[in-house]
Amino acid sequence: MNDVEVKMKSAVVGLLIKHPFFGSIVMKRPIELDEVVGTAAVNLGGAIRIAPSFVEKLTKEQLMFTLAHEAMHVVYAHLPRLQGRDPLMWNVATDAVINDLLERECVGTPIDGCVRMPGSADKSADEVYETLKQDQEKQQQSGGQGGQRQQGQGQQYQVPMNDLRPEYIKDGVSESEARRKETQGKMEIAEAAQGCSMQGNLSKGLSSLVE
């Protein structure tokens, strides 16, 4: 086992001990080390793909945050739910929801430059996406530069990890398949929540995910 693999294992164990809800979800994901990815991403099969050089740059706490972040993309079925939306804007919206949830639950340490939109954890990615889209349209109508990086109350948002990559679904995903994966993810979230509830460590914020 090399240094990167040891670091990955340590981060997963850290999640299981400190944040069992997220740790149990990460544990179900295949983790593929691949330098081609550059940073981290998820594929349609639910695997977390992460570059070894990226792992080396992160602290253990940042890696815990990153693994939990990617795993939530999977259970929320964010990649198959892209469904013709603007890829970058959808990535920003989904990151906003996940990051706000992870920060609220004090999971690890956010990586530099991550999307921060307080309150997003209480919304769906679809709602955040529509807000970003409307903001962009208003900026364009008023003669502003608009663009995919100028979103949300005039703030600049970037995606440090391009983790929802359209090329991973180049053959497309039907709406029925996207709904199936979303339902499957909801079941996994419910199972993780039930496990934490039985141990008496399910927070109010996490319990709201299954209400």
mmCIF file with all atom_site columns, all heavy atoms in Angstrom, residues 58-76:
data_model
loop_
_atom_site.group_PDB
_atom_site.id
_atom_site.type_symbol
_atom_site.label_atom_id
_atom_site.label_alt_id
_atom_site.label_comp_id
_atom_site.label_asym_id
_atom_site.label_entity_id
_atom_site.label_seq_id
_atom_site.pdbx_PDB_ins_code
_atom_site.Cartn_x
_atom_site.Cartn_y
_atom_site.Cartn_z
_atom_site.occupancy
_atom_site.B_iso_or_equiv
_atom_site.pdbx_formal_charge
_atom_site.auth_seq_id
_atom_site.auth_comp_id
_atom_site.auth_asym_id
_atom_site.auth_atom_id
_atom_site.pdbx_PDB_model_num
ATOM 1   N N   . LEU A 1 58 ? -3.918  17.429 -0.663 1.00 0.00 ? 58 LEU A N   1
ATOM 2   C CA  . LEU A 1 58 ? -4.956  17.657 0.346  1.00 0.00 ? 58 LEU A CA  1
ATOM 3   C C   . LEU A 1 58 ? -4.527  17.176 1.731  1.00 0.00 ? 58 LEU A C   1
ATOM 4   O O   . LEU A 1 58 ? -3.801  16.198 1.857  1.00 0.00 ? 58 LEU A O   1
ATOM 5   C CB  . LEU A 1 58 ? -6.246  16.929 -0.047 1.00 0.00 ? 58 LEU A CB  1
ATOM 6   C CG  . LEU A 1 58 ? -6.873  17.282 -1.397 1.00 0.00 ? 58 LEU A CG  1
ATOM 7   C CD1 . LEU A 1 58 ? -8.109  16.418 -1.629 1.00 0.00 ? 58 LEU A CD1 1
ATOM 8   C CD2 . LEU A 1 58 ? -7.240  18.754 -1.467 1.00 0.00 ? 58 LEU A CD2 1
ATOM 9   N N   . THR A 1 59 ? -5.022  17.862 2.746  1.00 0.00 ? 59 THR A N   1
ATOM 10  C CA  . THR A 1 59 ? -4.859  17.372 4.104  1.00 0.00 ? 59 THR A CA  1
ATOM 11  C C   . THR A 1 59 ? -5.857  16.229 4.303  1.00 0.00 ? 59 THR A C   1
ATOM 12  O O   . THR A 1 59 ? -6.776  16.045 3.494  1.00 0.00 ? 59 THR A O   1
ATOM 13  C CB  . THR A 1 59 ? -5.148  18.465 5.140  1.00 0.00 ? 59 THR A CB  1
ATOM 14  O OG1 . THR A 1 59 ? -6.544  18.833 5.060  1.00 0.00 ? 59 THR A OG1 1
ATOM 15  C CG2 . THR A 1 59 ? -4.286  19.702 4.888  1.00 0.00 ? 59 THR A CG2 1
ATOM 16  N N   . LYS A 1 60 ? -5.711  15.489 5.375  1.00 0.00 ? 60 LYS A N   1
ATOM 17  C CA  . LYS A 1 60 ? -6.655  14.408 5.658  1.00 0.00 ? 60 LYS A CA  1
ATOM 18  C C   . LYS A 1 60 ? -8.066  14.962 5.782  1.00 0.00 ? 60 LYS A C   1
ATOM 19  O O   . LYS A 1 60 ? -9.030  14.369 5.260  1.00 0.00 ? 60 LYS A O   1
ATOM 20  C CB  . LYS A 1 60 ? -6.261  13.679 6.951  1.00 0.00 ? 60 LYS A CB  1
ATOM 21  C CG  . LYS A 1 60 ? -7.265  12.607 7.371  1.00 0.00 ? 60 LYS A CG  1
ATOM 22  C CD  . LYS A 1 60 ? -6.882  11.976 8.707  1.00 0.00 ? 60 LYS A CD  1
ATOM 23  C CE  . LYS A 1 60 ? -7.969  11.031 9.202  1.00 0.00 ? 60 LYS A CE  1
ATOM 24  N NZ  . LYS A 1 60 ? -7.618  10.418 10.506 1.00 0.00 ? 60 LYS A NZ  1
ATOM 25  N N   . GLU A 1 61 ? -8.220  16.100 6.444  1.00 0.00 ? 61 GLU A N   1
ATOM 26  C CA  . GLU A 1 61 ? -9.540  16.689 6.638  1.00 0.00 ? 61 GLU A CA  1
ATOM 27  C C   . GLU A 1 61 ? -10.141 17.150 5.312  1.00 0.00 ? 61 GLU A C   1
ATOM 28  O O   . GLU A 1 61 ? -11.353 17.020 5.090  1.00 0.00 ? 61 GLU A O   1
ATOM 29  C CB  . GLU A 1 61 ? -9.456  17.865 7.621  1.00 0.00 ? 61 GLU A CB  1
ATOM 30  C CG  . GLU A 1 61 ? -9.099  17.474 9.048  1.00 0.00 ? 61 GLU A CG  1
ATOM 31  C CD  . GLU A 1 61 ? -10.224 16.693 9.718  1.00 0.00 ? 61 GLU A CD  1
ATOM 32  O OE1 . GLU A 1 61 ? -11.398 17.065 9.540  1.00 0.00 ? 61 GLU A OE1 1
ATOM 33  O OE2 . GLU A 1 61 ? -9.926  15.714 10.435 1.00 0.00 ? 61 GLU A OE2 1
ATOM 34  N N   . GLN A 1 62 ? -9.307  17.695 4.428  1.00 0.00 ? 62 GLN A N   1
ATOM 35  C CA  . GLN A 1 62 ? -9.794  18.098 3.107  1.00 0.00 ? 62 GLN A CA  1
ATOM 36  C C   . GLN A 1 62 ? -10.190 16.886 2.279  1.00 0.00 ? 62 GLN A C   1
ATOM 37  O O   . GLN A 1 62 ? -11.171 16.938 1.522  1.00 0.00 ? 62 GLN A O   1
ATOM 38  C CB  . GLN A 1 62 ? -8.723  18.901 2.373  1.00 0.00 ? 62 GLN A CB  1
ATOM 39  C CG  . GLN A 1 62 ? -8.508  20.297 2.918  1.00 0.00 ? 62 GLN A CG  1
ATOM 40  C CD  . GLN A 1 62 ? -7.366  21.024 2.209  1.00 0.00 ? 62 GLN A CD  1
ATOM 41  O OE1 . GLN A 1 62 ? -6.340  20.419 1.890  1.00 0.00 ? 62 GLN A OE1 1
ATOM 42  N NE2 . GLN A 1 62 ? -7.553  22.299 1.954  1.00 0.00 ? 62 GLN A NE2 1
ATOM 43  N N   . LEU A 1 63 ? -9.454  15.800 2.429  1.00 0.00 ? 63 LEU A N   1
ATOM 44  C CA  . LEU A 1 63 ? -9.771  14.580 1.701  1.00 0.00 ? 63 LEU A CA  1
ATOM 45  C C   . LEU A 1 63 ? -11.083 13.980 2.208  1.00 0.00 ? 63 LEU A C   1
ATOM 46  O O   . LEU A 1 63 ? -11.882 13.462 1.417  1.00 0.00 ? 63 LEU A O   1
ATOM 47  C CB  . LEU A 1 63 ? -8.627  13.574 1.840  1.00 0.00 ? 63 LEU A CB  1
ATOM 48  C CG  . LEU A 1 63 ? -8.736  12.287 1.011  1.00 0.00 ? 63 LEU A CG  1
ATOM 49  C CD1 . LEU A 1 63 ? -8.952  12.586 -0.475 1.00 0.00 ? 63 LEU A CD1 1
ATOM 50  C CD2 . LEU A 1 63 ? -7.475  11.440 1.198  1.00 0.00 ? 63 LEU A CD2 1
ATOM 51  N N   . MET A 1 64 ? -11.313 14.056 3.500  1.00 0.00 ? 64 MET A N   1
ATOM 52  C CA  . MET A 1 64 ? -12.587 13.599 4.062  1.00 0.00 ? 64 MET A CA  1
ATOM 53  C C   . MET A 1 64 ? -13.745 14.385 3.455  1.00 0.00 ? 64 MET A C   1
ATOM 54  O O   . MET A 1 64 ? -14.771 13.816 3.055  1.00 0.00 ? 64 MET A O   1
ATOM 55  C CB  . MET A 1 64 ? -12.576 13.746 5.588  1.00 0.00 ? 64 MET A CB  1
ATOM 56  C CG  . MET A 1 64 ? -11.685 12.744 6.305  1.00 0.00 ? 64 MET A CG  1
ATOM 57  S SD  . MET A 1 64 ? -11.406 13.160 8.062  1.00 0.00 ? 64 MET A SD  1
ATOM 58  C CE  . MET A 1 64 ? -13.094 13.167 8.700  1.00 0.00 ? 64 MET A CE  1
ATOM 59  N N   . PHE A 1 65 ? -13.577 15.690 3.371  1.00 0.00 ? 65 PHE A N   1
ATOM 60  C CA  . PHE A 1 65 ? -14.595 16.558 2.783  1.00 0.00 ? 65 PHE A CA  1
ATOM 61  C C   . PHE A 1 65 ? -14.825 16.182 1.322  1.00 0.00 ? 65 PHE A C   1
ATOM 62  O O   . PHE A 1 65 ? -15.966 16.056 0.862  1.00 0.00 ? 65 PHE A O   1
ATOM 63  C CB  . PHE A 1 65 ? -14.159 18.024 2.894  1.00 0.00 ? 65 PHE A CB  1
ATOM 64  C CG  . PHE A 1 65 ? -15.163 19.025 2.383  1.00 0.00 ? 65 PHE A CG  1
ATOM 65  C CD1 . PHE A 1 65 ? -16.060 19.626 3.249  1.00 0.00 ? 65 PHE A CD1 1
ATOM 66  C CD2 . PHE A 1 65 ? -15.202 19.372 1.040  1.00 0.00 ? 65 PHE A CD2 1
ATOM 67  C CE1 . PHE A 1 65 ? -16.986 20.556 2.780  1.00 0.00 ? 65 PHE A CE1 1
ATOM 68  C CE2 . PHE A 1 65 ? -16.125 20.292 0.560  1.00 0.00 ? 65 PHE A CE2 1
ATOM 69  C CZ  . PHE A 1 65 ? -17.015 20.886 1.435  1.00 0.00 ? 65 PHE A CZ  1
ATOM 70  N N   . THR A 1 66 ? -13.729 15.982 0.588  1.00 0.00 ? 66 THR A N   1
ATOM 71  C CA  . THR A 1 66 ? -13.809 15.681 -0.845 1.00 0.00 ? 66 THR A CA  1
ATOM 72  C C   . THR A 1 66 ? -14.504 14.354 -1.105 1.00 0.00 ? 66 THR A C   1
ATOM 73  O O   . THR A 1 66 ? -15.370 14.252 -1.981 1.00 0.00 ? 66 THR A O   1
ATOM 74  C CB  . THR A 1 66 ? -12.401 15.662 -1.468 1.00 0.00 ? 66 THR A CB  1
ATOM 75  O OG1 . THR A 1 66 ? -11.798 16.962 -1.309 1.00 0.00 ? 66 THR A OG1 1
ATOM 76  C CG2 . THR A 1 66 ? -12.448 15.310 -2.951 1.00 0.00 ? 66 THR A CG2 1
ATOM 77  N N   . LEU A 1 67 ? -14.150 13.323 -0.353 1.00 0.00 ? 67 LEU A N   1
ATOM 78  C CA  . LEU A 1 67 ? -14.775 12.011 -0.538 1.00 0.00 ? 67 LEU A CA  1
ATOM 79  C C   . LEU A 1 67 ? -16.264 12.056 -0.216 1.00 0.00 ? 67 LEU A C   1
ATOM 80  O O   . LEU A 1 67 ? -17.090 11.480 -0.942 1.00 0.00 ? 67 LEU A O   1
ATOM 81  C CB  . LEU A 1 67 ? -14.075 10.966 0.334  1.00 0.00 ? 67 LEU A CB  1
ATOM 82  C CG  . LEU A 1 67 ? -12.638 10.610 -0.069 1.00 0.00 ? 67 LEU A CG  1
ATOM 83  C CD1 . LEU A 1 67 ? -12.015 9.668  0.962  1.00 0.00 ? 67 LEU A CD1 1
ATOM 84  C CD2 . LEU A 1 67 ? -12.602 9.982  -1.460 1.00 0.00 ? 67 LEU A CD2 1
ATOM 85  N N   . ALA A 1 68 ? -16.618 12.742 0.865  1.00 0.00 ? 68 ALA A N   1
ATOM 86  C CA  . ALA A 1 68 ? -18.033 12.880 1.224  1.00 0.00 ? 68 ALA A CA  1
ATOM 87  C C   . ALA A 1 68 ? -18.772 13.671 0.145  1.00 0.00 ? 68 ALA A C   1
ATOM 88  O O   . ALA A 1 68 ? -19.906 13.333 -0.227 1.00 0.00 ? 68 ALA A O   1
ATOM 89  C CB  . ALA A 1 68 ? -18.165 13.574 2.577  1.00 0.00 ? 68 ALA A CB  1
ATOM 90  N N   . HIS A 1 69 ? -18.126 14.704 -0.359 1.00 0.00 ? 69 HIS A N   1
ATOM 91  C CA  . HIS A 1 69 ? -18.700 15.548 -1.424 1.00 0.00 ? 69 HIS A CA  1
ATOM 92  C C   . HIS A 1 69 ? -19.018 14.701 -2.658 1.00 0.00 ? 69 HIS A C   1
ATOM 93  O O   . HIS A 1 69 ? -20.136 14.752 -3.188 1.00 0.00 ? 69 HIS A O   1
ATOM 94  C CB  . HIS A 1 69 ? -17.702 16.658 -1.772 1.00 0.00 ? 69 HIS A CB  1
ATOM 95  C CG  . HIS A 1 69 ? -18.103 17.521 -2.924 1.00 0.00 ? 69 HIS A CG  1
ATOM 96  N ND1 . HIS A 1 69 ? -18.681 18.762 -2.763 1.00 0.00 ? 69 HIS A ND1 1
ATOM 97  C CD2 . HIS A 1 69 ? -18.015 17.323 -4.271 1.00 0.00 ? 69 HIS A CD2 1
ATOM 98  C CE1 . HIS A 1 69 ? -18.922 19.293 -3.942 1.00 0.00 ? 69 HIS A CE1 1
ATOM 99  N NE2 . HIS A 1 69 ? -18.532 18.435 -4.883 1.00 0.00 ? 69 HIS A NE2 1
ATOM 100 N N   . GLU A 1 70 ? -18.042 13.927 -3.106 1.00 0.00 ? 70 GLU A N   1
ATOM 101 C CA  . GLU A 1 70 ? -18.246 13.113 -4.310 1.00 0.00 ? 70 GLU A CA  1
ATOM 102 C C   . GLU A 1 70 ? -19.305 12.040 -4.084 1.00 0.00 ? 70 GLU A C   1
ATOM 103 O O   . GLU A 1 70 ? -20.131 11.766 -4.968 1.00 0.00 ? 70 GLU A O   1
ATOM 104 C CB  . GLU A 1 70 ? -16.927 12.472 -4.751 1.00 0.00 ? 70 GLU A CB  1
ATOM 105 C CG  . GLU A 1 70 ? -15.825 13.459 -5.114 1.00 0.00 ? 70 GLU A CG  1
ATOM 106 C CD  . GLU A 1 70 ? -16.222 14.431 -6.217 1.00 0.00 ? 70 GLU A CD  1
ATOM 107 O OE1 . GLU A 1 70 ? -17.051 14.069 -7.078 1.00 0.00 ? 70 GLU A OE1 1
ATOM 108 O OE2 . GLU A 1 70 ? -15.719 15.563 -6.226 1.00 0.00 ? 70 GLU A OE2 1
ATOM 109 N N   . ALA A 1 71 ? -19.299 11.426 -2.918 1.00 0.00 ? 71 ALA A N   1
ATOM 110 C CA  . ALA A 1 71 ? -20.280 10.383 -2.617 1.00 0.00 ? 71 ALA A CA  1
ATOM 111 C C   . ALA A 1 71 ? -21.703 10.943 -2.622 1.00 0.00 ? 71 ALA A C   1
ATOM 112 O O   . ALA A 1 71 ? -22.649 10.267 -3.068 1.00 0.00 ? 71 ALA A O   1
ATOM 113 C CB  . ALA A 1 71 ? -19.977 9.748  -1.263 1.00 0.00 ? 71 ALA A CB  1
ATOM 114 N N   . MET A 1 72 ? -21.869 12.179 -2.168 1.00 0.00 ? 72 MET A N   1
ATOM 115 C CA  . MET A 1 72 ? -23.198 12.783 -2.174 1.00 0.00 ? 72 MET A CA  1
ATOM 116 C C   . MET A 1 72 ? -23.650 13.108 -3.593 1.00 0.00 ? 72 MET A C   1
ATOM 117 O O   . MET A 1 72 ? -24.846 13.051 -3.895 1.00 0.00 ? 72 MET A O   1
ATOM 118 C CB  . MET A 1 72 ? -23.224 14.037 -1.290 1.00 0.00 ? 72 MET A CB  1
ATOM 119 C CG  . MET A 1 72 ? -23.048 13.751 0.208  1.00 0.00 ? 72 MET A CG  1
ATOM 120 S SD  . MET A 1 72 ? -24.207 12.509 0.853  1.00 0.00 ? 72 MET A SD  1
ATOM 121 C CE  . MET A 1 72 ? -25.767 13.416 0.747  1.00 0.00 ? 72 MET A CE  1
ATOM 122 N N   . HIS A 1 73 ? -22.710 13.438 -4.471 1.00 0.00 ? 73 HIS A N   1
ATOM 123 C CA  . HIS A 1 73 ? -23.073 13.618 -5.885 1.00 0.00 ? 73 HIS A CA  1
ATOM 124 C C   . HIS A 1 73 ? -23.711 12.328 -6.415 1.00 0.00 ? 73 HIS A C   1
ATOM 125 O O   . HIS A 1 73 ? -24.663 12.364 -7.187 1.00 0.00 ? 73 HIS A O   1
ATOM 126 C CB  . HIS A 1 73 ? -21.833 13.930 -6.721 1.00 0.00 ? 73 HIS A CB  1
ATOM 127 C CG  . HIS A 1 73 ? -21.497 15.383 -6.831 1.00 0.00 ? 73 HIS A CG  1
ATOM 128 N ND1 . HIS A 1 73 ? -22.429 16.359 -7.125 1.00 0.00 ? 73 HIS A ND1 1
ATOM 129 C CD2 . HIS A 1 73 ? -20.295 16.034 -6.716 1.00 0.00 ? 73 HIS A CD2 1
ATOM 130 C CE1 . HIS A 1 73 ? -21.832 17.544 -7.177 1.00 0.00 ? 73 HIS A CE1 1
ATOM 131 N NE2 . HIS A 1 73 ? -20.549 17.372 -6.929 1.00 0.00 ? 73 HIS A NE2 1
ATOM 132 N N   . VAL A 1 74 ? -23.162 11.189 -5.988 1.00 0.00 ? 74 VAL A N   1
ATOM 133 C CA  . VAL A 1 74 ? -23.660 9.897  -6.463 1.00 0.00 ? 74 VAL A CA  1
ATOM 134 C C   . VAL A 1 74 ? -25.067 9.626  -5.933 1.00 0.00 ? 74 VAL A C   1
ATOM 135 O O   . VAL A 1 74 ? -25.988 9.315  -6.704 1.00 0.00 ? 74 VAL A O   1
ATOM 136 C CB  . VAL A 1 74 ? -22.714 8.746  -6.058 1.00 0.00 ? 74 VAL A CB  1
ATOM 137 C CG1 . VAL A 1 74 ? -23.316 7.401  -6.463 1.00 0.00 ? 74 VAL A CG1 1
ATOM 138 C CG2 . VAL A 1 74 ? -21.343 8.920  -6.706 1.00 0.00 ? 74 VAL A CG2 1
ATOM 139 N N   . VAL A 1 75 ? -25.268 9.725  -4.614 1.00 0.00 ? 75 VAL A N   1
ATOM 140 C CA  . VAL A 1 75 ? -26.577 9.379  -4.058 1.00 0.00 ? 75 VAL A CA  1
ATOM 141 C C   . VAL A 1 75 ? -27.659 10.392 -4.433 1.00 0.00 ? 75 VAL A C   1
ATOM 142 O O   . VAL A 1 75 ? -28.848 10.055 -4.450 1.00 0.00 ? 75 VAL A O   1
ATOM 143 C CB  . VAL A 1 75 ? -26.526 9.191  -2.516 1.00 0.00 ? 75 VAL A CB  1
ATOM 144 C CG1 . VAL A 1 75 ? -25.711 7.972  -2.162 1.00 0.00 ? 75 VAL A CG1 1
ATOM 145 C CG2 . VAL A 1 75 ? -26.009 10.437 -1.815 1.00 0.00 ? 75 VAL A CG2 1
ATOM 146 N N   . TYR A 1 76 ? -27.256 11.610 -4.751 1.00 0.00 ? 76 TYR A N   1
ATOM 147 C CA  . TYR A 1 76 ? -28.216 12.596 -5.236 1.00 0.00 ? 76 TYR A CA  1
ATOM 148 C C   . TYR A 1 76 ? -28.461 12.434 -6.744 1.00 0.00 ? 76 TYR A C   1
ATOM 149 O O   . TYR A 1 76 ? -29.272 13.166 -7.319 1.00 0.00 ? 76 TYR A O   1
ATOM 150 C CB  . TYR A 1 76 ? -27.721 14.016 -4.957 1.00 0.00 ? 76 TYR A CB  1
ATOM 151 C CG  . TYR A 1 76 ? -27.957 14.524 -3.547 1.00 0.00 ? 76 TYR A CG  1
ATOM 152 C CD1 . TYR A 1 76 ? -27.036 15.386 -2.957 1.00 0.00 ? 76 TYR A CD1 1
ATOM 153 C CD2 . TYR A 1 76 ? -29.090 14.170 -2.816 1.00 0.00 ? 76 TYR A CD2 1
ATOM 154 C CE1 . TYR A 1 76 ? -27.240 15.875 -1.663 1.00 0.00 ? 76 TYR A CE1 1
ATOM 155 C CE2 . TYR A 1 76 ? -29.302 14.666 -1.537 1.00 0.00 ? 76 TYR A CE2 1
ATOM 156 C CZ  . TYR A 1 76 ? -28.370 15.521 -0.965 1.00 0.00 ? 76 TYR A CZ  1
ATOM 157 O OH  . TYR A 1 76 ? -28.581 16.011 0.306  1.00 0.00 ? 76 TYR A OH  1
#
